Amino acid sequence: PGTRCLREPDSMACFLLSAVGVAFGGQSLRRPERCSLPARSLLGRTAAVSRRESLQLGAGLSATFLAPLAAPRAAFAAAQDPNDLSRLKKGLDSVQFLLDNWDRETVDPNSGADSPDRVRFFLGLRTTDHPLFQVDKLLIKAQKSLPDDVDFETWIDSVEGLNSHIAKINELAYTSSFGEYNPGGGKEQVRKYLLLAKEEVVQARDSLQTMVTLLKL
């Protein structure tokens, strides 16, 4: 029989356990009426833990459920050592280089037109050999290497900030790339989104700088 599930707040926890059963036991997914989990479910306990424990729990769940999906990319990511914290400093240097040479690096050298997709390259979103490629995995390792006297709230804010800024950069640079061809678009729209992306790059740089400082790299 499949995993039995509780109702309401515990249903998601049981759904996850049922999904694991499907992935590894070949059982069909269904929703029986009750569950063998205790009344205080995983979700209930998670709400009470500290922000540090929440991050660690989230990382553990991600590794458990997403690892099978990431397997085909493993060969391409092999060159990036998740234990090499110097990648954060190298990534910071890459982002700073982009900002210092923005006008040159965001323009197509052949056509002279804005080239928003270049922004993604400097944030590790285009190639597997960039130091910021899959930076989320690197940050999980980095967190375990924080000094004992670190301001952990500042670390969390920096991690959350970096993830948010990179996501926005990815979206804005992609949108900017097609701004000229969208209804009501044009070169002005391309430049608009490109400049919005630059604002996010500055903030991503600041988050990286804070991390490097906290890690004493």
Side-chain angles (χ1 to χ4, degrees):
T3 303
R4 295 177 297 167
C5 288
L6 287 172
R7 293 179 294 274
E8 300 181 358
D10 290 326
S11 61
M12 181 57 71
C14 291
F15 174 80
L16 292 174
L17 292 176
S18 299
V20 174
V22 171
F24 297 100
Q27 303 176 38
S28 60
L29 179 63
R30 59 190 181 89
R31 184 179 178 176
E33 297 183 358
R34 296 189 61 81
C35 178
S36 58
L37 286 176
R40 288 184 60 82
S41 68
L42 173 62
L43 296 181
R45 291 195 301 272
T46 301
V49 297
S50 67
R51 294 182 75 186
R52 179 191 292 265
E53 293 167 328
S54 296
L55 282 180
Q56 293 173 340
L57 176 60
L61 287 175
S62 297
T64 299
F65 293 106
L66 300 181
L69 300 178
R73 303 174 63 183
F76 297 99
Q80 295 298 325
D81 182 1
N83 297 301
D84 181 10
L85 300 186
S86 69
R87 286 171 52 194
L88 288 174
K89 182 63 171 62
K90 294 174 183 176
L92 173 61
D93 293 342
S94 173
V95 174
Q96 187 61 59
F97 177 85
L98 170 63
L99 291 171
D100 291 342
N101 301 276
W102 183 267
D103 291 338
R104 184 183 69 192
E105 294 300 329
T106 58
V107 170
D108 187 314
N110 297 317
S111 67
D114 287 330
S115 182
D117 202 46
R118 287 280 298 165
V119 177
R120 299 172 65 230
F121 169 80
F122 290 94
L123 273 296
L125 297 170
R126 288 294 309 276
T127 62
T128 61
D129 58 353
H130 191 278
L132 294 181
F133 175 68
Q134 294 185 338
V135 69
D136 53 328
K137 295 181 179 180
L138 177 61
L139 295 178
I140 292 174
K141 297 292 185 180
Q143 183 169 304
K144 298 177 182 179
S145 300
L146 289 170
D148 293 336
D149 60 347
V150 73
D151 183 340
F152 196 71
E153 291 298 314
T154 300
W155 170 261
I156 292 177
D157 289 342
S158 298
V159 170
E160 292 175 348
L162 180 64
N163 289 333
S164 175
H165 299 316
I166 287 180
K168 290 178 182 178
I169 290 166
N170 199 26
E171 177 183 352
L172 288 167
Y174 182 83
T175 302
S176 181
S177 297
F178 296 94
E180 186 173 356
Y181 308 103
N182 291 333
K187 293 183 178 180
E188 295 78 12
Q189 286 295 99
V190 173
R191 176 54 60 93
K192 171 187 174 181
Y193 285 111
L194 185 57
L195 292 177
L196 289 174
K198 184 178 182 180
E199 294 177 5
E200 296 296 330
V201 172
V202 170
Q203 295 183 73
R205 185 271 315 275
D206 293 344
S207 293
L208 277 168
Q209 181 62 71
T210 299
M211 292 178 190
V212 169
T213 300
L214 292 176
L215 288 164
K216 301 179 180 179
L217 297 178

